[in-house]
Amino acid sequence: MKTKHLKIGIAFVTASLTSVLFNNFSFPGLHHELPAIESVNEASRIAHAKELLGRDYKGSDAQALEGQKALNEAIYHKVQNQLPAKFKYQARAIARTVIAESAKYELDPVFVLAVIKTESKFNPLVVGRHGEIGLMQIKPDTAEWIAKKFDLPWNGKKTLQSPGANIKIGLAYMNYLRSKFDNKAMKYVSAYNMGPTNVRRLLAKNVKPAEYNSRVMKNYGELYAKMNASEIGHHRIAAF
């Protein structure tokens, strides 16, 4: 009986010491510091918001957030909340890609979120009726052309199932269209959906290709409105 009690006592002491050691010392490989989310390029964001909204920028929710340092966290929370459960662990990486690629092409990252919401509702694996794949719903043939033209990695259509690669190719394409339509938002946003040739055909008939652009801009406005509504003390934005 004494031996049994002794064994129990030794086990208890061992477990206590292990707990103390585990909680008070760092072990390589057990703790990973998450990468920081880069700040939004405020100059690019504002310039592109003005391009998108025109005279409506003044007094808009996009203007109301000028100088908001926590916008990067708001973008992260939006991505995290909207992704399907199996992809939530990628939310930080996706948010960082959105912010970095937006800065690269001088786009408003909130606009990028609006395009993703319109195209895929943040489902990285959704396939459209015309074969469009992923977050930004890109056709494989268009994606391959863009990847080769702008020297982006391409390993077949499965590349588009990677959220990061999908966003990089999608924004390279958006930037290409933007240059072809002289930074006229309604034209290049519409061309992203229906192709530049179809946009030019409509314009030649004096028809504005406004339907898709209107949906994107509606989501754009709603995203900014939610960010403003969720702003709390000390200039921080809460999850929404």
Side-chain angles (χ1 to χ4, degrees):
M1 183 64 70
K2 289 183 179 180
T3 301
K4 181 178 180 181
H5 284 302
L6 179 61
K7 289 181 178 179
I8 293 173
I10 292 172
F12 177 78
V13 170
T14 302
S16 299
L17 288 173
T18 301
S19 177
V20 170
L21 286 169
F22 187 84
N23 288 309
N24 288 279
F25 293 91
S26 297
F27 293 86
L30 290 181
H31 299 284
H32 299 281
E33 185 175 339
L34 293 174
I37 299 176
E38 296 83 348
S39 297
V40 171
N41 185 315
E42 185 69 346
S44 295
R45 180 191 77 84
I46 293 172
H48 190 220
K50 289 179 177 178
E51 179 179 301
L52 293 165
L53 296 171
R55 290 178 297 179
D56 292 333
Y57 178 77
K58 187 175 182 180
S60 68
D61 287 303
Q63 184 187 39
L65 287 178
E66 285 187 8
Q68 174 57 264
K69 294 181 179 179
L71 189 56
N72 57 347
E73 291 295 333
I75 290 169
Y76 162 64
H77 286 301
K78 181 61 181 178
V79 172
Q80 184 183 54
N81 291 343
Q82 293 298 309
L83 283 173
K86 65 184 292 185
F87 288 98
K88 287 188 183 296
Y89 76 98
Q90 294 189 44
R92 183 173 290 269
I94 292 172
R96 295 184 72 208
T97 300
V98 167
I99 292 170
E101 294 300 302
S102 295
K104 177 180 177 180
Y105 296 115
E106 299 184 341
L107 299 170
D108 181 351
V110 180
F111 166 75
V112 177
L113 295 186
V115 172
I116 292 173
K117 182 177 180 180
T118 305
E119 289 289 344
S120 65
K121 296 182 180 178
F122 290 86
N123 183 350
L125 297 182
V126 68
V127 178
R129 61 179 179 174
H130 298 297
E132 307 93 336
I133 298 173
L135 289 177
M136 298 195 70
Q137 287 291 277
I138 314 163
K139 291 181 179 180
D141 56 346
T142 301
E144 182 177 9
W145 180 76
I146 286 294
K148 290 179 179 178
K149 183 176 179 62
F150 294 99
D151 196 27
L152 296 172
W154 179 254
N155 189 26
K157 66 180 184 180
K158 66 181 181 181
T159 305
L160 295 174
Q161 294 177 349
S162 163
N166 192 288
I167 292 168
K168 289 178 180 179
I169 293 172
L171 292 190
Y173 184 44
M174 184 70 77
N175 184 62
Y176 167 79
L177 295 170
R178 190 184 183 197
S179 67
K180 291 299 180 182
F181 285 99
D182 300 319
N183 289 28
K184 303 297 183 184
M186 184 189 69
K187 296 179 182 180
Y188 66 76
V189 174
S190 297
Y192 185 85
N193 172 253
M194 63 193 303
T197 300
N198 289 325
V199 168
R200 290 191 180 97
R201 284 173 181 166
L202 289 177
L203 293 172
K205 298 176 182 178
N206 292 319
V207 177
K208 289 184 177 181
E211 193 273 333
Y212 176 78
N213 179 68
S214 296
R215 285 194 284 136
V216 171
M217 294 308 295
K218 180 176 183 291
N219 286 328
Y220 180 67
E222 288 177 353
L223 284 167
Y224 265 122
K226 288 179 180 178
M227 289 179 182
N228 268 309
S230 62
E231 188 177 1
I232 58 175
H234 302 295
H235 303 288
R236 291 187 69 250
I237 297 180
F240 60 96

